[in-house]
């Protein structure tokens, strides 16, 4: 059964407007995991060590978010049209809520990047293979690729195309529309990379993307900002 919950579509725009990324995340995200996602979307080859060393700050209407890696973004007003500031080092960005969904798909294909880069697939390949739990120690643990993608040795191109297609979709309310995008794949492959990975690990304990099923993870994919 697909898990449903609040999700957000956010457009992240640099101060000069030259760089943008549009992302879809659970509303239950922490500020630190949002920081991680934004940095991975800007530069898919960035390391966790580099991200953790950055000085990141979020503000809304001049009021900074509380410090701490477990502080959730829902302390901000996050309705459609709302915005907040994000600064990482010397780089400043505006984050605008484009879409706020009360019952979106939170189990698979999230977080994801849907616009702003010339190489969305490389970004989303990284996000598929990352964990976004509130437990940062857990997030640091390596994770193998989804079994359905590597069962025959090399990832199946048709499966990758399907997952990339799913991860390019905007935030939407209707889970049936998301499921329909999987087409005629057998049921075992319609559950997405996270669920497939969980099923392939006998006895593994499911841990969420901050309350939803986690994405699987080791670093993968290359891409440059643009």
């Amino acid at each position: 059964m697909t898990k449903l919950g609040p999700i957000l579509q956010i457009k992240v725009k640099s101060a000069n407007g030259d760089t943008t990324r549009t992302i879809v995340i659970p509303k239950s995200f922490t500020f630190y995991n949002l920081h991680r996602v934004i940095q991975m979307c800007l530069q898919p080859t960035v390391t966790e060590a580099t991200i953790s060393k950055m000085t990141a700050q979020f503000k809304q209407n001049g009021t900074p978010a509380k410090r701490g890696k477990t502080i959730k973004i829902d302390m901000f007003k996050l309705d459609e049209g709302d915005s907040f500031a994000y600064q990482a080092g010397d780089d400043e960005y505006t984050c605008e809520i484009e879409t706020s969904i009360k019952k979106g798909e939170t189990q698979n294909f999230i977080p994801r990047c849907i616009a702003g880069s010339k190489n969305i697939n490389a970004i989303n390949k990284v996000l598929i293979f990352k964990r976004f739990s509130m437990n940062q120690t857990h997030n640091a643990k390596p994770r193998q690729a989804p079994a359905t993608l590597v069962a025959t040795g090399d990832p199946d191109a048709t499966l990758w195309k399907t997952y990339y297609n799913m991860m390019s979709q905007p935030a939407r309310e209707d889970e049936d529309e998301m499921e329909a995008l999987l087409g005629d794949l057998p049921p075992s492959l319609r559950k997405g990379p996270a669920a497939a990975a969980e099923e392939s690990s006998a006895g593994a304990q499911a841990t969420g993307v901050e309350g939803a099923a986690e994405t699987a993870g080791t670093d993968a994919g290359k891409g440059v900002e643009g």
Side-chain angles (χ1 to χ4, degrees):
M1 179 68 179
T2 299
K3 292 184 179 180
L4 301 178
I7 63 174
L8 301 170
Q9 181 172 307
I10 303 175
K11 185 173 184 177
V12 182
K13 182 170 64 174
S14 62
N16 61 13
D18 289 347
T19 301
T20 65
R21 296 291 186 273
T22 303
I23 61 177
V24 179
I25 63 168
K27 194 175 182 179
S28 60
F29 243 25
T30 60
F31 285 106
Y32 184 69
N33 278 335
L34 176 56
H35 165 58
R36 290 174 65 215
V37 167
I38 292 174
Q39 290 302 317
M40 292 172 193
C41 289
L42 291 172
Q43 177 53 269
T45 58
V46 69
T47 65
E48 292 281 7
T50 298
I51 292 174
S52 67
K53 291 177 182 178
M54 293 181 180
T55 301
Q57 178 68 70
F58 293 88
K59 293 182 179 181
Q60 188 172 56
N61 299 323
T63 302
K66 296 178 181 179
R67 296 285 186 176
K69 292 185 177 181
T70 61
I71 304 300
K72 293 187 176 184
I73 64 174
D74 59 7
M75 68 169 290
F76 281 175
K77 192 171 181 293
L78 299 173
D79 296 327
E80 291 181 7
D82 289 331
S83 63
F84 54 90
Y86 163 62
Q87 183 171 353
D90 296 329
D91 298 324
E92 298 180 352
Y93 302 85
T94 298
C95 301
E96 180 182 353
I97 309 300
E98 293 188 327
T99 308
S100 178
I101 301 294
K102 291 183 179 180
K103 290 185 178 181
E105 207 275 358
T106 62
Q107 184 171 0
N108 302 296
F109 314 111
I110 190 168
R112 60 184 182 267
C113 182
I114 64 172
S117 172
K118 298 174 182 176
N119 203 346
I120 293 293
N121 288 351
I123 293 172
N124 283 329
K125 189 172 184 179
V126 171
L127 296 178
I128 285 174
F129 294 158
K130 288 290 183 178
R131 302 177 187 230
F132 295 92
S133 169
M134 289 182 67
N135 185 334
Q136 296 304 318
T137 301
H138 178 76
N139 288 341
K141 295 179 181 179
R143 180 78 173 180
Q144 292 185 352
T148 54
L149 295 180
V150 295
T152 58
D154 294 326
D156 183 276
T158 301
L159 290 179
W160 274 122
K161 184 177 180 180
T162 299
Y163 291 141
Y164 288 150
N165 182 37
M166 294 292 288
M167 294 193 75
S168 68
Q169 301 303 312
R172 62 183 70 205
E173 191 95 34
D174 190 344
E175 64 170 312
D176 291 334
E177 290 187 44
M178 290 291 284
E179 293 294 328
L181 293 171
L182 289 171
D184 296 325
L185 288 178
S188 62
L189 303 186
R190 293 177 188 162
K191 297 179 181 180
E198 290 301 333
E199 289 187 354
S200 70
S201 302
Q205 181 178 0
T207 51
V209 179
E210 294 187 354
E214 68 187 21
T215 48
T218 54
D219 287 343
K222 294 183 178 180
V224 296
E225 182 175 333

